[in-house]
Amino acid sequence: MRLLRIVRHPLVLLAVVTSAAVGITHGSAAEVGWGLVGLVVGLLSGLLSLQIGMLVGAVALGARVHKVVVGVGTRVADWTTPRRAVVLRAVPLFLSVSVGPGRAPARPRMWGAALCSALLGLAWCGLVITALATWGGGFTLGLAIAGVATVANALVPRKSPGSTSTGWLLVNLPRLTGVRAQQLDAAPLVSATVDAAQDGDLAGAAKLAGNLADTYPTLRTATAARVLVLQAQGRFAEALLLAMALAGDTDQTPAEAAVSFAALAGLAYATVEAGHLEPELGLGTAAQALENAETLGYPTHKLNGSRALRELLAGNTEQAISLARLAADSGDDRLGRADDLATLARAYMAAGDNRAARQALDEAERIVPWWPRVAITRTRLDLA
């Protein structure tokens, strides 16, 4: 079954199609090799055109740019602020841009950013097709096949727990109604609340969260922002109650449910750790939430932070250290990274390595020193 999944993977199928096309048109093994090189270049450049278009459109039109990641692999450097994460990784092959609603009116700004992404992607397709018509050759054919396929795939309307395609934004944003439209309308106030929490302005964040509760008492995005504020205040049990209400929403989509359950799992573990919830109840809730998130397609690597805390609570310090380090290295969210580093520090403490714990905690404090789990860990480490 695993072999079948590999064979049916889109990249494998694309490589087979490219090899066949180059072999038929050029009849040379060397040209087939160049065709596969062109395939890789076309795939990467097609993705790059879409991401650059999204970034340029978001900046020009005032949509919110949450994250810009250059490359894959080990984190080399980052320029992270409460409002945006810019990360450079070891192998600069990819550009990843995360865009969301910002200033009002949010919907046309996001739609315009998606349109810029689509237009630049289509322009790239035109360029590689022109190159193919002009020069021919296996490399150019592979480049054109991959470039066109990549952009076409991005223009297919598709939404998952981990991503939303350009095509989904173009097709669905203009016709959203009801709750989905209301979420975008509420985005400026939600963003202001999250920004205040990210800044450590907990009094301001609490005031804005109160406004959200009064204005949008049942809106999912507003409730999620309120959960963040409560968590930032160290009020884990209250945050957990709201998170459980989100996860139990019968009107949410599977993608929304996956995100809800992933958040619930981490929060349940943190609530048990803080002593605000009985372990028997909290650990069971967290385990079920983790399972639900995975079943609904939430990216597995993004659950490593919750798994690390689970192992720490179970006394499995080696597994906790490994998972917490993976989570901290791969995560780009500011508060999430600080939280994972706090888990890493606590795992090292449990293993009797206070020197490594201090190194991990120093890294967390450079990011968000006031985050409750970071601050509490510092207190415990200073007493050790």
Side-chain angles (χ1 to χ4, degrees):
M1 290 297 292
R2 185 177 180 181
L3 178 61
L4 181 60
R5 285 197 298 269
I6 293 174
V7 171
R8 295 174 60 185
H9 193 282
L11 291 180
V12 175
L13 294 176
L14 192 59
V16 170
V17 170
T18 301
S19 299
V22 175
I24 291 171
T25 55
H26 295 83
S28 164
E31 287 295 327
V32 170
W34 279 112
L36 292 175
V37 174
L39 169 71
V40 175
V41 175
L43 175 65
L44 295 177
S45 57
L47 291 171
L48 183 63
S49 68
L50 291 162
Q51 295 295 298
I52 290 177
M54 184 68 76
L55 179 60
V56 170
V59 171
L61 298 173
R64 181 73 174 266
V65 180
H66 294 288
K67 181 172 62 178
V68 179
V69 181
V70 180
V72 294
T74 305
R75 184 190 308 271
V76 174
D78 67 79
W79 300 267
T80 301
T81 69
R83 289 161 180 78
R84 184 172 300 115
V86 180
V87 181
L88 175 63
R89 295 191 176 274
V91 185
L93 291 177
F94 297 99
L95 172 66
S96 175
V97 179
S98 177
V99 174
R103 299 199 310 268
R107 200 185 324 188
R109 296 179 193 276
M110 288 186 63
W111 188 87
L115 180 62
C116 288
S117 174
L119 290 176
L120 191 57
L122 291 172
W124 171 249
C125 289
L127 184 62
V128 295
I129 291 172
T130 301
L132 177 61
T134 303
W135 291 296
F139 174 85
T140 314
L141 180 55
L143 180 72
I145 291 173
V148 172
T150 300
V151 173
N153 181 63
L155 295 181
V156 175
R158 183 177 59 256
K159 188 175 179 65
S160 72
S163 65
T164 302
S165 72
T166 300
W168 190 96
L169 294 173
L170 288 173
V171 172
N172 290 286
L173 275 181
R175 61 183 187 180
L176 284 178
T177 59
V179 173
R180 305 291 181 266
Q182 192 180 22
Q183 287 177 344
L184 290 173
D185 294 337
L189 181 55
V190 170
S191 295
T193 305
V194 172
D195 287 346
Q198 291 269 2
D199 283 333
D201 178 12
L202 300 187
K207 183 178 180 180
L208 290 167
N211 291 340
L212 283 174
D214 293 336
T215 310
Y216 305 104
T218 61
L219 195 64
R220 292 183 53 79
T221 52
T223 303
R226 292 164 56 199
V227 169
L228 176 64
V229 173
L230 289 169
Q231 193 173 359
Q233 294 173 318
R235 297 160 63 183
F236 296 109
E238 295 170 71
L240 183 63
L241 288 175
L242 283 181
M244 290 178 70
L246 274 181
D249 180 7
T250 56
D251 293 329
Q252 64 187 331
T253 67
E256 290 171 335
V259 174
S260 298
F261 281 119
L264 176 60
L267 188 51
Y269 284 128
T271 306
V272 170
E273 179 192 54
H276 298 173
L277 184 65
E278 290 295 327
E280 293 79 7
L281 176 60
L283 295 179
T285 299
Q288 186 61 59
L290 266 181
E291 182 180 338
N292 291 344
E294 287 187 280
T295 300
L296 291 167
Y298 195 79
T300 301
H301 70 278
K302 292 186 178 182
L303 296 171
N304 281 335
S306 294
R307 292 196 184 96
L309 190 46
R310 177 191 65 192
E311 297 302 327
L312 177 60
L313 293 172
N316 302 321
T317 54
E318 289 188 10
Q319 293 93 324
I321 289 170
S322 177
L323 288 166
R325 175 50 69 187
L326 283 172
D329 287 346
S330 64
D332 298 313
D333 174 71
R334 183 170 174 261
L335 300 183
R337 280 194 67 219
D339 198 78
D340 292 330
L341 287 165
T343 300
L344 180 61
R346 293 187 182 202
Y348 277 128
M349 288 174 65
D353 190 347
N354 285 351
R355 180 179 179 182
R358 287 189 175 90
Q359 291 176 343
L361 192 58
D362 287 345
E363 189 178 351
E365 288 178 326
R366 284 194 293 270
I367 304 171
V368 192
W370 55 265
W371 186 247
R373 293 189 69 239
V374 174
I376 293 171
T377 305
R378 170 55 67 186
T379 300
R380 294 178 180 176
L381 189 56
D382 288 343
L383 294 174

